[in-house]
Amino acid sequence: SIAILLYLARKFKTPDHWYPCDLQKRARVDEYLSWQHVSIRGKASKLFLTKMLLPMLTGQPVPPEKLESVTEDLNVVLKQFEEKFLQDKPFIAGSEVSLADLVALVELMQPLGVGHNPFEGRPKLAEWRKRVEEALGKQLVQETHEGILNISNL
């Protein structure tokens, strides 16, 4: 939950880069956190549900045109993410990783877990992912997402 992340950042006085005191940087974080609910989260989750859960629940394959439509919806918001939020910066709020980057990366692991690589063919997005993973610790990122990345083993 975004509300819980913000509460924790404030309560435990985390390092400033997570939720910056600088109003312009904080506004960038807040802007992304407000936008992502109906964009990346919505579209990435829909792809996950369409590709993995619906076939499991119904026992029927998803029609290819439905999967194409859901994938295209995700592609649209990924383009918006790159153009609006990443632009030419290393991270969403500037030169340091923030809660916005953490939330964005987590959302993009769902499609990755069902065999759709949202970073493929998007060098800017792939480089951003690499920077976020390095800032968080690559092993920690892998351990944290182990379940979703191996969801097909269910």
Side-chain angles (χ1 to χ4, degrees):
S1 161
I2 299 305
I4 291 171
L5 286 175
L6 296 179
Y7 168 80
L8 292 171
R10 291 172 182 138
K11 178 175 171 82
F12 295 104
K13 296 176 181 36
T14 59
D16 188 65
H17 65 89
W18 289 112
Y19 195 57
C21 289
D22 176 272
L23 288 180
Q24 286 185 324
K25 288 180 181 177
R26 182 173 283 196
R28 294 294 293 167
V29 172
D30 289 340
E31 180 184 28
Y32 176 78
L33 294 176
S34 295
W35 176 80
Q36 63 92 26
H37 293 289
V38 294
S39 54
I40 287 185
R41 174 177 285 170
K43 306 309 182 204
S45 294
K46 190 171 184 179
L47 180 62
F48 178 82
L49 292 169
T50 302
K51 198 166 181 184
M52 177 60 107
L53 290 182
L54 284 176
M56 282 176 54
L57 294 173
T58 65
Q60 301 293 317
V62 174
E65 60 275 2
K66 174 68 175 169
L67 193 53
E68 283 178 36
S69 172
V70 171
T71 302
E72 184 51 36
D73 289 346
L74 178 60
N75 288 335
V76 167
V77 297
L78 290 175
K79 185 173 189 246
Q80 291 170 346
F81 176 64
E82 287 182 305
E83 292 173 357
K84 172 78 174 145
F85 293 98
L86 290 182
Q87 299 169 347
D88 292 323
K89 302 177 306 230
F91 300 101
I92 294 171
S95 61
E96 294 182 285
V97 69
S98 71
L99 287 177
D101 299 289
L102 176 65
V103 170
L105 182 64
V106 167
E107 297 301 344
L108 294 177
M109 291 309 208
Q110 285 187 54
L112 200 56
V114 293
H116 176 81
N117 187 345
F119 307 100
E120 188 175 302
R122 290 186 178 86
K124 183 187 289 191
L125 195 61
E127 286 299 315
W128 165 82
R129 175 191 179 186
K130 183 178 176 184
R131 286 189 296 273
V132 174
E133 287 182 345
E134 287 171 358
L136 298 173
K138 193 166 177 76
Q139 183 176 346
L140 177 62
V141 171
Q142 287 299 323
E143 288 173 17
T144 302
H145 294 101
E146 188 176 324
I148 197 79
L149 294 175
N150 295 312
I151 194 90
S152 60
N153 294 338
L154 287 177

